[in-house]
Amino acid sequence: MAYVLTEIFDLKKIKDLMESFYKVTGVSSGLVDCQGNILIHVGWQDICTQFHRRNQLSGSMCEDSDKNILSGIQSLKMEKKPYYIHKCKFGLYFAVSPIIIEGNHLANFMFGQFFINEPDREKFSELAKEYGFPEKDYLDVLDRVPIYDLEKFDSVINHFRL
């Protein structure tokens, strides 16, 4: 049987749950369909939403990253690991877990954006110049991106698994 995500789940209620989760944990999340359409995003980092995705050149890198996430999640072997870790071209990480019902891959939960190590401010200063971002504003939002170890995301992803 073919399922449609919006026929099974109330997206408003899912968004409310994701917002509550963000308020408690500070972990941003998103719900993205299998075509790469963002259905819900909560707490996404300004460095992505206000800078990377808004600029034509850097935005195309984000689109490439989105495609890599989708291909990575499709190649996932669920019995080995329930999620896929992706590092975008700017060095931010995402943990992505598929929503599969009776063998039908309907969408993906995304958790991130985050770093696993302290970012190289000099590199991001150079990126600001390269893409024409106001350097001070860009570095200010860089400083707000959380740094987590991947073990934390093991717990986060497992919280959402059924």
Side-chain angles (χ1 to χ4, degrees), residues 32 36 38 48 52-53 57-73 84-96 108 110 113:
V32 180
I38 300 167
C48 296
H52 297 156
R53 289 189 177 269
L57 294 173
S58 61
S60 68
M61 292 174 60
C62 295
E63 289 171 13
D64 289 345
S65 188
D66 293 345
K67 290 174 189 166
N68 291 337
I69 289 171
L70 292 174
S71 63
I73 201 76
Y84 170 72
I85 294 288
H86 176 76
K87 180 181 178 183
C88 81
K89 294 178 180 179
F90 293 103
L92 288 100
Y93 285 79
F94 302 81
V96 186
N108 301 295
M110 295 180 66
Q113 306 84 6

Side-chain angles (χ1 to χ4, degrees), residues 20-29 43 45 113 146 148 152-153:
S20 295
F21 183 76
Y22 177 69
K23 286 177 186 173
V24 171
T25 66
V27 175
S28 57
S29 59
Q45 298 300 316
Q113 306 84 6
Y148 299 124
K152 176 171 184 153
F153 273 82

Side-chain angles (χ1 to χ4, degrees), residues 44-58:
W44 280 14
Q45 298 300 316
D46 289 342
I47 197 164
C48 296
T49 60
Q50 301 300 316
F51 290 93
H52 297 156
R53 289 189 177 269
R54 284 198 178 174
N55 177 286
Q56 186 175 5
L57 294 173
S58 61

